[in-house]
């Protein structure tokens, strides 16, 4: 089997249901997949994901979302805060693609809207692992639909 290079983007900072699900996925992948990680600078999950330091980029601007929220999700203030941090996504993904030459990107949740949109602009094939109970906004869903086209 030819080796595939995958960038895994995780949206959480500490052990959670999403992190447990994600680490289960990683442990059960077939051989032949080279793993790269985009984690928040303060993430406590690198060891749980068996992320090697040389294959891990730790980013201050990666949005951290707690997605087990019921109802409407984030208020407008928190949405604006994460939107402002999203400006760093395009140059970060372009640099990581140049550095690691990954083939596909895996987003560990639907809330990583900016990453999905930037991946489309950069022509990076992207898989989105949806497991949230967060009710996404209509704007977020429209962007994800556009990114999927």
């Amino acid at each position: 089997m030819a080796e595939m290079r995958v960038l895994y983007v995780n949206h959480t900072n500490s052990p959670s249901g999403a992190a447990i699900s994600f680490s289960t996925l990683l442990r059960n992948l077939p051989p032949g997949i080279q793993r790269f990680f985009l984690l928040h600078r303060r993430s406590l999950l690198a060891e749980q994901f068996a992320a090697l330091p040389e294959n891990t980029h730790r980013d201050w601007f990666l949005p951290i979302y707690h997605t087990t929220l019921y109802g409407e999700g984030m208020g407008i203030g928190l949405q604006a805060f994460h939107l402002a941090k999203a400006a760093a996504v395009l140059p970060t993904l372009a640099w990581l693609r140049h550095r690691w030459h990954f083939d596909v990107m895996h987003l560990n949740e639907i809330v990583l809207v900016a990453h999905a949109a930037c991946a489309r602009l950069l022509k990076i094939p992207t898989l989105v692992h949806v497991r949230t109970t967060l009710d996404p906004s209509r704007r977020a869903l429209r962007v994800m639909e556009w990114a999927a086209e």
Side-chain angles (χ1 to χ4, degrees), residues 11-141:
H11 70 291
T12 59
N13 204 20
S14 57
S16 64
I20 292 166
S21 174
F22 185 45
S23 62
T24 301
L25 169 74
L26 292 170
R27 280 193 313 274
N28 290 289
L29 289 173
I33 297 177
Q34 189 170 1
R35 303 167 187 188
F36 301 93
F37 295 89
L38 175 54
L39 305 174
H40 191 274
R41 173 103 35 209
R42 292 184 180 158
S43 176
L44 304 172
L45 301 170
E47 186 176 329
Q48 183 173 344
F49 299 154
L52 301 173
E54 63 271 17
N55 290 357
T56 303
H57 177 71
R58 291 181 169 272
D59 189 47
W60 278 113
F61 300 105
L62 183 69
I64 299 171
Y65 293 100
H66 298 283
T67 53
T68 311
L69 301 173
Y70 297 90
E72 293 185 26
M74 291 183 273
I76 192 71
L78 191 54
Q79 286 182 22
F81 173 67
H82 285 298
L83 182 60
K85 292 195 311 184
V89 173
L90 187 65
T92 298
L93 287 182
W95 178 73
L96 291 175
R97 185 101 191 256
H98 176 75
R99 178 181 175 194
W100 289 328
H101 306 284
F102 56 88
D103 303 304
V104 67
M105 183 169 67
H106 174 276
L107 301 178
N108 198 30
E109 188 49 81
I110 195 171
V111 296
L112 293 165
V113 175
H115 291 75
C118 290
R120 178 171 183 200
L121 294 173
L122 294 169
K123 297 180 174 36
I124 299 170
T126 302
L127 304 167
V128 181
H129 193 156
V130 180
R131 71 173 64 71
T132 189
T133 59
L134 180 71
D135 186 14
S137 71
R138 288 189 184 135
R139 280 185 311 276
L141 287 175

